[in-house]
Amino acid sequence: MSDTPAIELHDVVKQFGATYAVDHVSLQVGDGEFFSLLGPSGCGKTTTLRMIAGFEYPSHGEVLIHGRAMAATPPHRRPVNTVFQSYALFPHMSVAQNVAFGLQMKGVPKHELGPRVQAALEMVRLDGFDQRRPREMSGGQQQRVALARALVNQPEVLLLDEPLGALDQKLRKEMQFELKRLQHRVGITFIFVTHDQEEALTMSDRIAVMNQGKVLQVGSPTEIYERPTCRFVADFIGETNFIEGQVVAHDGGYATIQSHDGLELRGVTPRPVSVGAHATLSLRPEKARLLTPDQAQSVQETFRLAVKVELVSYIGSDTRITVRLNAQRTLDVWEQNTRSTLDRNAYWQPGEDAVLVCPPENALVLVE
Amino acid sequence: MIQRKPARWLSQALRSYAILVYAFLYLPIVVLVIFSFTRDEFGVRWTGFTLDWYIRLFNNPRLMGAAVNTLIVGVASTLVATLLGTLLALALERYRFRGRGAVDGLLYLPIVMPEIVMAVALLACSALAFDLINALTGHVLRRNLVTVTIGHIAFSISFVTVVVRASLKHFDRRLEEAAADLGANSWQIFWRITFPLILPGVIGGALLAFTLSLDDFIISLFLSGPGTSLLPVEVYNRVRRAITPEINAISTLMLLLSITLVVLSQLAQRRR
Amino acid sequence: MRVIGMIDQIRMRRDRRNLLALLAPGMLWLLAFFALPLVIILLYSILTNGPRGAIVWQPTLENYRTLFTQTIYVNAYLRSIRISLETTLICLLLGYPLALFIVRQPAHWRTLLIFLVLIPFWTNFLVRIYAWQIILANNGLINGGLTALGLTPLALLNTEGATLLGLVYGELPFMVLPLYAALARFDFTQLEAAADLGANRWQAFWRVMVPQTMPGIVAGSVLVFIPTLGQFVVAELLGGAKVDYLGNLIQRLFLRSNPINWPLGSALAVIMMVILLALIFWYFRVTREDER
């Protein structure tokens, strides 16, 4: 591993006509990192990936791979390989021919092809499939062929464009694990495009969250989830309750906001705020607790909101409770079902009075 | 309850109707084949089986010459039309450019244009061109197999383009990106990925062009010169006079050839 | 960044060169051997016919006047348009139920059935029309049968009925293919929806299915009507060349009549082209509206 970043984007812009698909994006991806580009569809993540691969050229800014500028390098001369969302396996070639293709293009001598193809297929556990045609294989197997076809070239960076998107839930989980394992084994940089936040959180070393062509936040999965710096990230990753208001006080990384319906709420501020600024309090449903009024009296926590239970959904691992704060506002609270019981009284009932409590370090005050 | 599935009688009626229409389509073909084996010298009555007419056919130098001419024109026009049509299909499917609509329109016109209009236009054009050459150089040119071939190419290009475009439409451009990603340059991409994958379409288009050339008789009639007779024209000149079992026989052979070519063309396009 | 602008330009220039290489050969061929000839007959149609069919380079509208005033020509295209319309209508009546039947079959049957329609489409037209002579001739198959049953033979060949039969026979595949394409796109659960809303079969057919398959109906009709208008073989082989249609007139004026008259023939061909272009224009208007 070297100190030069594997990928650098400097102020990259991609315009299609008047629309900005990618809007002034700068990123650095370290050597050997598993880096995800996460965002809703149309956010520019795939275009960003395609500019790294060389299928699109930036309208402005530059792309560097291991410190080398790529402006004049067509895709076939770049030291990166791509796993496509649709796999893009060549239908007229066997699995072995698909995997050998990149090596042949590089002019690897014939006698080396066989062993290297075999090794690549073994790595993705497809040994013995070399004479199959892509269409004779399942989605998961095609996915592995696509991986082998890219990895056999020993690229400096592997680009993966929603590679698990077409697989069913169970296979997806398996492949997530498999991809992590492969990355450890080959030790090269992975850039992984996905719209699935859970997938990004599970697999990545770092994540860049994108929306409308812009990178909103770059950070580790915990940073992204626990300390989102803006409302979009908090909303897109996981679920959360938002309460809008104005900052009335702040000190030492905490701020208090007054909501429009007069509540005073306190939370952590990931970014500096000033009094009077518009702000949103983000409260993750699993970070709040629901107590009976009796229990609440003995608890010392800053948030104490008197609520009425409105809707209770039992979903197995959790119980999801919607509580009504006042005529305008409801909040969601998730309780983990740590006890196994059929006793109805162990769960909340609609209509019950309750108190929602939450320590300020579990809530976030976000300013735009 | 009212059963809302198509009523039984309705689908039965539809089926019978369809069978009748198919019978209508194939009756003449079957009759023709059968009556190419009759002994009846007027070719319209069944008076016993014979292969005489086929034997006579192969001993008729005029018909055999026409057949050879037809094959020459067919092969030549197919080669050129397939090449030009494939290039056009690539241009139209791969590029967005100004005037694309006009090119599209010009390509579809030969398909819908009544053949006789095209034939007389080509006839007039060749006459004018020959007069011009005569006036400028003193050479006297005559219509021959070359003029017919040029005409056949002019209408075959469109058909080839349509067929190849269809195969390009299903073509996944990401396969080419994948090849570039794996280090192939544009030349390698074309010959190793694009061409093998559109080859069925190209073969299909070529077989179609060949069939069209073999079957065409209007353009052949107008553009072939004296002494360069083509098979369909030869048949036309004979059938205008009378039915003969000899024509039944040659027609049967032509039908067989066309059907074989269409089946091959379909098979080529289906294999992916 | 300026470097990027330059690279983009190089890339665009290379693209343009490639495009030209792909486009030029075929386009030049079509322009020289398809478009130019059409322009030439347009030109011929306003020239004067000289003695023994020579072209006199004297502009005139006489050819068009002749075509619009002399009864044999006026009658010829009225007759042509009539028989083309009849052919189109009969093809529609035969083709729609057939296409409907094919679409409702299981997938593997569908391919085979449409292929069976396709085969005559690509086989020699002349030969297939000739085959009807064997069936219809005075001593042919039908009359042979009638005589055997002791009935009087009928004059079937060399009638307008025979011409119509041959035209329908020849053009039917052109009708079935677009109808099939249109019906294949039709969502048949809509008929159930229509029934659910109280429409009977007939209403569902006319108000739901026909409007949605209209592009296919129009395409098929145009594809049948246009070639029929230029037909001359059928009238000659089955109709006995008793009456003139547009196609026969053009053929005669260019090849046979004594003396030949290319300018007049060109004018006839031009009129046919105009009808064709008008129909195509109409077709695109109808289908475009449908797309919206």
Side-chain angles (χ1 to χ4, degrees):
Chain A
M1 288 198 195
S2 65
D3 292 338
T4 340
I7 299 285
E8 286 167 84
L9 303 185
H10 291 318
D11 201 25
V12 167
V13 172
K14 180 66 185 179
Q15 264 181 289
F16 292 113
T19 56
Y20 284 82
V22 173
D23 194 355
H24 298 283
V25 164
S26 296
L27 281 176
Q28 288 204 345
V29 181
D31 214 358
E33 225 182 338
F34 196 118
F35 190 91
S36 290
L37 294 168
L38 172 66
S41 64
C43 73
K45 55 191 194 297
T46 295
T47 311
T48 307
L49 193 80
R50 289 171 62 83
M51 284 192 285
I52 300 172
F55 304 135
E56 310 278 357
Y57 287 84
S59 322
H60 175 89
E62 56 178 351
V63 176
L64 286 84
I65 300 177
H66 278 122
R68 300 186 299 276
M70 288 289 134
T73 314
H76 66 273
R77 298 227 183 82
R78 295 195 181 197
V80 299
N81 285 116
T82 308
V83 175
F84 291 80
Q85 183 172 15
S86 58
Y87 317 139
L89 297 176
F90 306 132
H92 59 303
M93 298 182 187
S94 67
V95 167
Q97 285 169 325
N98 264 283
V99 177
F101 188 85
L103 297 175
Q104 288 172 333
M105 292 300 112
K106 269 196 224 160
V108 169
K110 259 213 172 93
H111 64 271
E112 278 182 36
L113 287 179
R116 286 181 69 174
V117 168
Q118 280 312 319
L121 286 176
E122 270 165 40
M123 189 167 59
V124 296
R125 303 178 192 186
L126 277 181
D127 22 337
F129 283 83
D130 38 353
Q131 290 320 310
R132 293 273 192 101
R133 294 271 163 162
R135 66 164 161 271
E136 299 163 354
M137 306 180 86
S138 70
Q141 289 170 333
Q142 292 187 21
Q143 163 73 68
R144 287 160 199 262
V145 177
L147 265 169
R149 187 177 71 171
L151 286 172
V152 74
N153 305 294
Q154 298 168 339
E156 290 173 22
V157 179
L158 185 71
L159 308 173
L160 302 109
D161 184 8
E162 305 235 8
L164 308 181
L167 304 180
D168 62 51
Q169 194 58 34
K170 192 153 173 268
L171 210 51
R172 244 176 127 118
K173 287 272 188 295
E174 260 175 59
M175 282 308 293
Q176 288 177 2
F177 175 74
E178 188 92 6
L179 273 176
K180 272 308 264 189
R181 184 184 67 86
L182 271 173
Q183 203 235 354
H184 276 297
R185 192 165 149 193
V186 295
I188 58 175
T189 315
F190 276 34
I191 298 193
F192 188 87
V193 160
T194 181
H195 66 270
D196 182 332
Q197 34 133 340
E198 201 182 311
E199 200 167 278
L201 292 175
T202 328
M203 305 177 70
S204 323
D205 297 322
R206 282 197 306 146
I207 301 171
V209 182
M210 293 186 73
N211 189 36
Q212 298 187 331
K214 292 195 171 73
V215 170
L216 299 176
Q217 188 174 0
V218 181
S220 68
T222 29
E223 281 167 348
I224 297 280
Y225 188 80
E226 302 295 346
R227 291 292 178 270
T229 52
C230 65
R231 188 179 163 141
F232 179 85
V233 175
D235 195 20
F236 187 72
I237 317 287
E239 287 186 40
T240 190
N241 297 296
F242 283 127
I243 301 169
E244 288 95 1
Q246 252 182 349
V247 178
V248 290
H250 62 92
D251 59 274
Y254 286 88
T256 305
I257 69 159
Q258 184 167 41
S259 74
H260 303 314
D261 35 14
L263 302 165
E264 291 227 338
L265 304 158
R266 196 167 147 78
V268 177
T269 56
R271 285 199 292 195
V273 296
S274 53
V275 172
H278 280 286
T280 307
L281 183 103
S282 160
L283 176 59
R284 299 262 187 219
E286 80 280 10
K287 297 237 172 8
R289 286 201 298 149
L290 216 51
L291 303 175
T292 60
D294 292 347
Q295 293 168 327
Q297 275 169 5
S298 59
V299 178
Q300 292 305 311
E301 278 171 301
T302 322
F303 258 38
R304 300 168 69 92
L305 302 174
V307 295
K308 202 184 242 327
V309 174
E310 190 156 293
L311 205 69
V312 181
S313 323
Y314 172 82
I315 64 152
S317 60
D318 293 343
T319 303
R320 303 193 164 180
I321 305 134
T322 304
V323 296
R324 181 159 290 283
L325 187 60
N326 53 38
Q328 292 86 40
R329 194 184 299 279
T330 61
L331 298 170
D332 288 334
V333 181
W334 297 350
E335 277 187 354
Q336 221 190 335
N337 295 328
T338 47
R339 270 190 327 133
S340 175
T341 174
L342 295 175
D343 180 10
R344 260 179 66 113
N345 293 324
Y347 303 100
W348 290 97
Q349 302 298 325
E352 271 185 86
D353 285 319
V355 178
L356 187 155
V357 296
C358 175
E361 61 267 29
N362 281 1
L364 288 166
V365 173
L366 305 169
V367 285
E368 294 307 312
Chain B
M1 276 305 287
I2 300 165
Q3 182 70 280
R4 274 302 176 183
K5 285 261 156 63
R8 212 185 163 74
W9 68 266
L10 199 60
S11 72
Q12 286 293 345
L14 206 57
R15 176 184 303 269
S16 323
Y17 192 82
I19 291 172
L20 283 177
V21 178
Y22 276 112
F24 171 63
L25 279 176
Y26 281 90
L27 171 73
I29 295 177
V30 173
V31 166
L32 185 68
V33 174
I34 291 174
F35 282 90
S36 70
F37 296 109
T38 178
R39 279 178 203 276
D40 179 33
E41 61 182 306
F42 299 107
V44 290
R45 252 174 245 272
W46 185 256
T47 52
F49 181 86
T50 177
L51 284 173
D52 273 3
W53 311 113
Y54 287 91
I55 295 163
R56 261 204 231 182
L57 221 57
F58 287 105
N59 291 327
N60 183 331
R62 201 179 151 80
L63 278 179
M64 283 301 108
V68 170
N69 283 345
T70 303
L71 284 177
I72 292 171
V73 171
V75 170
S77 64
T78 299
L79 287 177
V80 179
T82 304
L83 177 67
L84 300 186
T86 303
L87 295 182
L88 278 177
L90 282 167
L92 287 166
E93 282 301 309
R94 289 306 169 77
Y95 293 88
R96 297 282 168 273
F97 52 91
R98 237 181 305 147
R100 190 164 167 271
V103 173
D104 230 5
L106 184 58
L107 265 171
Y108 276 103
L109 268 183
I111 297 179
V112 290
M113 184 72 70
E115 235 185 314
I116 192 164
V117 176
M118 216 171 142
V120 298
L122 278 163
L123 174 64
C125 180
S126 68
L128 197 65
F130 290 169
D131 285 352
L132 212 63
I133 291 169
N134 190 13
L136 292 175
T137 67
H139 287 291
V140 178
L141 294 181
R142 276 182 207 295
R143 280 180 282 282
N144 53 20
L145 291 186
V146 178
T147 43
V148 179
T149 307
I150 286 174
H152 282 190
I153 294 166
F155 71 72
S156 296
I157 289 178
S158 305
F159 287 92
V160 174
T161 309
V162 167
V163 175
V164 178
R165 274 183 83 171
S167 71
L168 277 169
K169 275 221 173 69
H170 298 142
F171 189 88
D172 182 2
R173 288 302 299 267
R174 270 162 303 191
L175 295 177
E176 291 172 344
E177 285 185 351
D181 188 72
L182 294 167
N185 62 33
S186 19
W187 192 251
Q188 288 166 322
I189 293 172
F190 182 79
W191 287 111
R192 305 227 12 195
I193 307 295
T194 318
F195 188 71
L197 287 173
I198 64 166
L199 189 60
V202 174
I203 293 175
L207 287 170
L208 224 50
F210 191 57
T211 320
L212 287 172
S213 172
L214 295 190
D215 284 351
D216 168 77
F217 102 97
I218 298 180
I219 286 181
S220 307
L221 176 71
F222 280 78
L223 289 186
S224 59
T228 54
S229 172
L230 291 154
L231 202 51
V233 181
E234 201 60 40
V235 171
Y236 171 69
N237 286 332
R238 283 161 190 249
V239 296
R240 282 197 313 162
R241 275 177 257 132
I243 305 170
T244 73
E246 215 173 348
I247 302 174
N248 296 358
I250 190 137
S251 301
T252 301
L253 291 179
M254 285 165 74
L255 276 176
L256 268 180
L257 186 59
S258 316
I259 291 174
T260 313
L261 287 172
V262 184
V263 172
L264 284 179
S265 153
Q266 287 294 313
L267 288 179
Q269 285 176 72
R270 199 147 303 155
R271 272 190 43 193
R272 288 186 180 276
Chain C
M1 213 168 267
R2 197 151 338 122
V3 184
I4 289 166
M6 218 173 71
I7 290 159
D8 264 0
Q9 263 184 2
I10 294 170
R11 200 167 289 128
M12 266 167 62
R13 213 171 298 153
R14 205 187 48 208
D15 266 10
R16 195 162 301 165
R17 213 182 49 215
N18 289 346
L19 173 62
L20 206 64
L22 294 176
L23 214 50
M27 272 298 109
L28 286 178
W29 197 283
L30 282 178
L31 287 175
F33 301 119
F34 178 72
L36 178 69
L38 293 182
V39 174
I40 288 175
I41 52 165
L42 197 61
L43 177 71
Y44 270 32
S45 75
I46 51 163
L47 295 179
T48 310
N49 193 42
R52 286 193 295 145
I55 309 291
V56 179
W57 288 76
Q58 172 101 47
T60 173
L61 286 176
E62 197 52 44
N63 301 314
Y64 289 100
R65 197 202 312 275
T66 310
L67 291 184
F68 285 110
T69 50
Q70 288 197 12
T71 24
I72 64 155
Y73 298 112
V74 176
N75 282 344
Y77 36 75
L78 287 182
R79 196 178 291 124
S80 283
I81 289 172
R82 198 195 64 226
I83 201 159
S84 297
L85 284 175
E86 287 168 358
T87 307
T88 309
L89 195 67
I90 296 174
C91 281
L92 191 58
L93 291 178
L94 286 178
Y96 204 100
L98 182 65
L100 189 59
F101 170 76
I102 298 174
V103 167
R104 299 299 277 167
Q105 300 310 303
H108 61 284
W109 275 106
R110 219 154 46 205
T111 325
L112 179 70
L113 288 170
I114 205 70
F115 185 55
L116 284 176
V117 178
L118 203 76
I119 287 181
F121 179 63
W122 292 119
T123 48
N124 198 307
F125 186 76
L126 179 66
V127 164
R128 286 188 299 132
I129 294 303
Y130 162 72
W132 279 104
Q133 281 197 349
I134 306 174
I135 299 170
L136 300 176
N138 286 341
N139 52 357
L141 212 54
I142 293 179
N143 280 328
L146 289 176
T147 322
L149 291 172
L151 300 167
T152 20
L154 303 166
L156 297 169
L157 201 59
N158 302 339
T159 59
E160 186 173 310
T163 310
L164 192 58
L165 176 83
L167 288 172
V168 169
Y169 178 70
E171 308 296 342
L172 187 57
F174 288 92
M175 182 62 92
V176 178
L177 293 178
L179 282 179
Y180 171 75
L183 280 165
R185 278 194 299 268
F186 179 71
D187 173 10
F188 280 86
T189 52
Q190 288 188 18
L191 291 184
E192 286 167 17
D196 184 66
L197 296 169
N200 64 30
R201 276 201 180 75
W202 191 241
Q203 288 165 324
F205 172 73
W206 277 108
R207 307 267 308 257
V208 178
M209 192 148 96
V210 169
Q212 288 191 65
T213 49
M214 198 43 98
I217 295 174
V218 174
S221 302
V222 171
L223 283 178
V224 169
F225 186 85
I226 291 172
T228 309
L229 208 55
Q231 255 304 324
F232 68 89
V233 188
V234 180
E236 209 166 326
L237 295 188
L238 300 183
K242 281 182 182 161
V243 286
D244 283 327
Y245 297 96
L246 273 179
N248 306 71
L249 278 179
I250 294 179
Q251 187 215 8
R252 259 212 330 260
L253 289 168
F254 269 91
L255 290 184
R256 295 236 187 92
S257 67
N258 206 6
I260 56 178
N261 188 339
W262 284 20
L264 193 61
S266 298
L268 259 178
V270 169
I271 287 176
M272 202 183 275
M273 260 195 309
V274 170
I275 296 177
L276 162 92
L277 290 175
L279 279 174
I280 290 174
F281 182 72
W282 173 66
Y283 165 72
F284 276 115
R285 272 198 43 186
V286 171
T287 49
R288 285 276 155 75
E289 267 166 26
D290 182 76
E291 272 166 27
R292 256 177 227 144

